[in-house]
Amino acid sequence: MNIKLKPKVSKGLYYNQLYKNDKSSYIVLGNKINGVNLIIEDKNIISINLLIKEFNGNNTLEDISSKIGIEIHELISIVNLLKNKGIISLGQMGEETLTKNFNEAERFSLKIFEKSLSKIKLNPVILAKFLKGFKFIFLINAVIFFYLFAKYHNQYSIFDLIKYKESYLESYILINICMVFSFIFHEIAHLLVAQRYGAESKKFVFILYWYFIPMMYLENKNLYSLKRKDLLKVLLAGVTFNIFISLISLNIFYITNLYIFIVIALANLKMFFVNLIPLSLSDGYFVFTVLFGEPNLRKSSYRLIGNTWKRAVLKGYKKSEIIYSIVTFASTMILFTFEITWLISSLQIIKGLYLIVLIIFISLLYCIFYICLIRKRFVSKTIVDGR
C-alpha cells in the first residue's frame, strides 16, 4: 500500500455500544450507507477514535504513523480492515473493495428468490400509530382467547388438534405448507418495526439453508445502529406477530369449529418456537447475544459442544457461553425430537421400532453438531454476527 495515500472517513459512520456485560463491552462500528459493520472491544475504541480523527483526507499514512506513534505496517493493517468495511476511503489512488459481513445464510445455502427493498420507505410516524393500534388489538384478542379457552378447553385434546380428518400426516403436511406463508408475515413484521425505529431495509431473501431447509430472512443496512431496546423490539417483532395470528386463529376456531384455523394457529406457534430457539441465524440467537451483551456466542458454543467428552470441558468459557450452549443444544434436541415423533406418528411406524428410530435420529443430530459445526466444515473461523 502506498504510504502517501490520504484516508478519509466515509459518510454514514456510526458507533453503538450494543454489547455490554459485567466483564467486557463491545462497540459496533459501522457504515449506515453500505450496511457493513465490525465489532470492536471497548478497550480498543480509544485507539480507533484517535486514528479516525486523523482520517480527514489531508493526512497521509506516513503523517499519521509519525503523529500517533504507530508502526506503519500496523497502520496499514488497520487501514485495510476499515477500508474493506467501507468505514474509510482512500481516494482515487486507492482500491475501494468492500468486504461484506460474513453471512452464514448466503454461504451455506441455495438462493431461490431475492427482492430488493431499498425503495421501500415507510413513514415512522404512521408506523408508530399503526403499531400502537396493533398492541391494543393484540391485548383484546388475548383476553378473548383466555375466555374461550377456559370455556372450551375440555372439549379438545392436543391429539385432536394436531389430527386433520383422523390423519396426523395430512395435518403435518398442511401445517408445514402454512408455515411458508407464516414466514412471509413474520418477515413483514420485522420490516415494519425496523423502519419504525429508523433501520433501512435492504432485501428480502428466500433460500434453502444447507440446501434443504426452506428459510426466508430480511436484511437491513443499519440495524445495529439502533438503540438496544429498539433492536430487541425489531428482533422480537416476527414472533410477536406469529403469536398474534395464532390467537386470532384459535378464537375463530373456538367459534366456528373450522379446522383450517387450527392449522394456521399451529403453523404460527411452530414458527414462534423455531425462531426463539437460539440456534445460529434465528431471532432467538440474536436476542440472546444482545441480552447477554456477548457477540459471536455461537462460535464459542460450537467449540464447547465439540469438547463435551474432554476433561475440564467448561474451563476457560464464560458463564454466558455455557448457558447459551446448554440452552441451544437442549432446545434444539427437544424441537427435533418432537418433530421426528410427530413424523413417526404420521407415518404410523410400528411401535417397536419407534424408540430405535428416535435414538438413531438423536445420535445423528449430535453428529451433525459435532462434525459439521465443531470441525468448522460449515462455520468459518471468521464468523461475525450479522442479520
Side-chain angles (χ1 to χ4, degrees), residues 290-327:
V290 174
L291 290 177
F292 274 79
E294 192 72 52
N296 293 323
L297 276 171
R298 51 186 167 174
K299 184 178 180 181
S300 54
S301 71
Y302 293 158
R303 190 166 58 246
L304 190 154
I305 296 171
N307 293 332
T308 302
W309 307 112
K310 295 182 180 180
R311 293 183 179 180
V313 62
L314 301 181
K315 188 176 180 181
Y317 290 96
K318 298 177 183 178
K319 185 178 179 180
S320 58
E321 294 172 339
I322 296 170
I323 293 173
Y324 169 76
S325 300
I326 294 172
V327 170

Side-chain angles (χ1 to χ4, degrees), residues 45-179:
I45 197 64
I46 295 176
S47 302
I48 294 293
N49 267 331
L50 288 173
L51 283 173
I52 286 178
K53 286 179 181 178
E54 299 300 325
F55 296 155
N56 53 23
N58 298 319
N59 300 321
T60 65
L61 293 178
E62 189 176 30
D63 295 335
I64 297 169
S65 173
S66 175
K67 187 173 182 179
I68 295 181
I70 182 174
E71 294 291 334
I72 191 67
H73 68 276
E74 293 179 2
L75 178 59
I76 289 173
S77 297
I78 295 171
V79 166
N80 273 323
L81 173 63
L82 297 179
K83 173 182 71 73
N84 291 338
K85 288 294 184 179
I87 292 169
I88 63 172
S89 61
L90 297 178
Q92 296 180 350
M93 294 176 63
E95 285 186 34
E96 303 301 328
T97 305
L98 292 183
T99 301
K100 294 182 178 180
N101 287 340
F102 174 82
N103 190 318
E104 188 174 330
E106 290 184 356
R107 182 166 180 175
F108 310 127
S109 65
L110 175 65
K111 188 178 293 184
I112 304 298
F113 174 80
E114 179 177 313
K115 175 66 176 177
S116 173
L117 302 175
S118 58
K119 293 183 179 180
I120 297 179
K121 309 286 184 183
L122 302 176
N123 190 316
V125 176
I126 295 175
L127 283 174
K129 292 179 180 179
F130 170 79
L131 294 173
K132 189 175 181 179
F134 171 80
K135 291 177 185 177
F136 177 74
I137 297 172
F138 185 99
L139 289 173
I140 293 297
N141 271 279
V143 171
I144 294 173
F145 167 75
F146 285 116
Y147 168 75
L148 294 174
F149 178 79
K151 187 176 181 179
Y152 296 112
H153 75 279
N154 290 326
Q155 297 183 20
Y156 306 98
S157 70
I158 184 64
F159 298 102
D160 294 328
L161 296 178
I162 63 173
K163 186 164 59 176
Y164 177 68
K165 293 182 178 179
E166 302 302 317
S167 171
Y168 289 115
L169 182 58
E170 285 186 48
S171 178
Y172 182 84
I173 293 171
L174 281 173
I175 288 170
N176 280 281
I177 291 174
C178 188
M179 279 186 70

Side-chain angles (χ1 to χ4, degrees), residues 110-294:
L110 175 65
K111 188 178 293 184
I112 304 298
F113 174 80
E114 179 177 313
K115 175 66 176 177
S116 173
L117 302 175
S118 58
K119 293 183 179 180
I120 297 179
K121 309 286 184 183
L122 302 176
N123 190 316
V125 176
I126 295 175
L127 283 174
K129 292 179 180 179
F130 170 79
L131 294 173
K132 189 175 181 179
F134 171 80
K135 291 177 185 177
F136 177 74
I137 297 172
F138 185 99
L139 289 173
I140 293 297
N141 271 279
V143 171
I144 294 173
F145 167 75
F146 285 116
Y147 168 75
L148 294 174
F149 178 79
K151 187 176 181 179
Y152 296 112
H153 75 279
N154 290 326
Q155 297 183 20
Y156 306 98
S157 70
I158 184 64
F159 298 102
D160 294 328
L161 296 178
I162 63 173
K163 186 164 59 176
Y164 177 68
K165 293 182 178 179
E166 302 302 317
S167 171
Y168 289 115
L169 182 58
E170 285 186 48
S171 178
Y172 182 84
I173 293 171
L174 281 173
I175 288 170
N176 280 281
I177 291 174
C178 188
M179 279 186 70
V180 176
F181 299 98
S182 299
F183 228 135
I184 294 172
F185 288 107
H186 175 100
E187 294 303 327
I188 289 174
H190 280 307
L191 184 149
L192 294 176
V193 179
Q195 295 217 1
R196 156 67 181 90
Y197 291 104
E200 186 179 342
S201 303
K202 186 177 181 181
K203 60 183 177 180
F204 174 80
V205 186
F206 177 37
I207 61 171
L208 289 179
Y209 183 51
W210 284 7
Y211 298 92
F212 75 96
I213 303 174
M215 190 175 82
M216 302 175 195
Y217 68 91
L218 177 71
E219 188 172 322
N220 298 281
K221 280 188 177 181
N222 58 325
L223 189 63
Y224 292 96
S225 66
L226 302 184
K227 295 178 182 177
R228 195 166 176 262
K229 65 176 183 178
D230 293 339
L231 176 58
L232 286 172
K233 289 176 183 178
V234 175
L235 294 173
L236 292 170
V239 292
T240 301
F241 194 76
N242 290 135
I243 287 294
F244 175 69
I245 295 297
S246 294
L247 289 174
I248 291 178
S249 301
L250 288 170
N251 289 342
I252 296 175
F253 169 75
Y254 281 131
I255 295 170
T256 65
N257 208 34
L258 294 174
Y259 187 81
I260 187 62
F261 292 104
I262 281 294
V263 171
I264 296 171
L266 291 178
N268 279 276
L269 282 173
K270 190 175 177 182
M271 278 288 298
F272 173 83
F273 288 112
V274 167
N275 274 276
L276 279 187
I277 287 179
L279 194 62
S280 180
L281 299 181
S282 72
D283 295 332
Y285 169 73
F286 292 106
V287 169
F288 216 103
T289 60
V290 174
L291 290 177
F292 274 79
E294 192 72 52

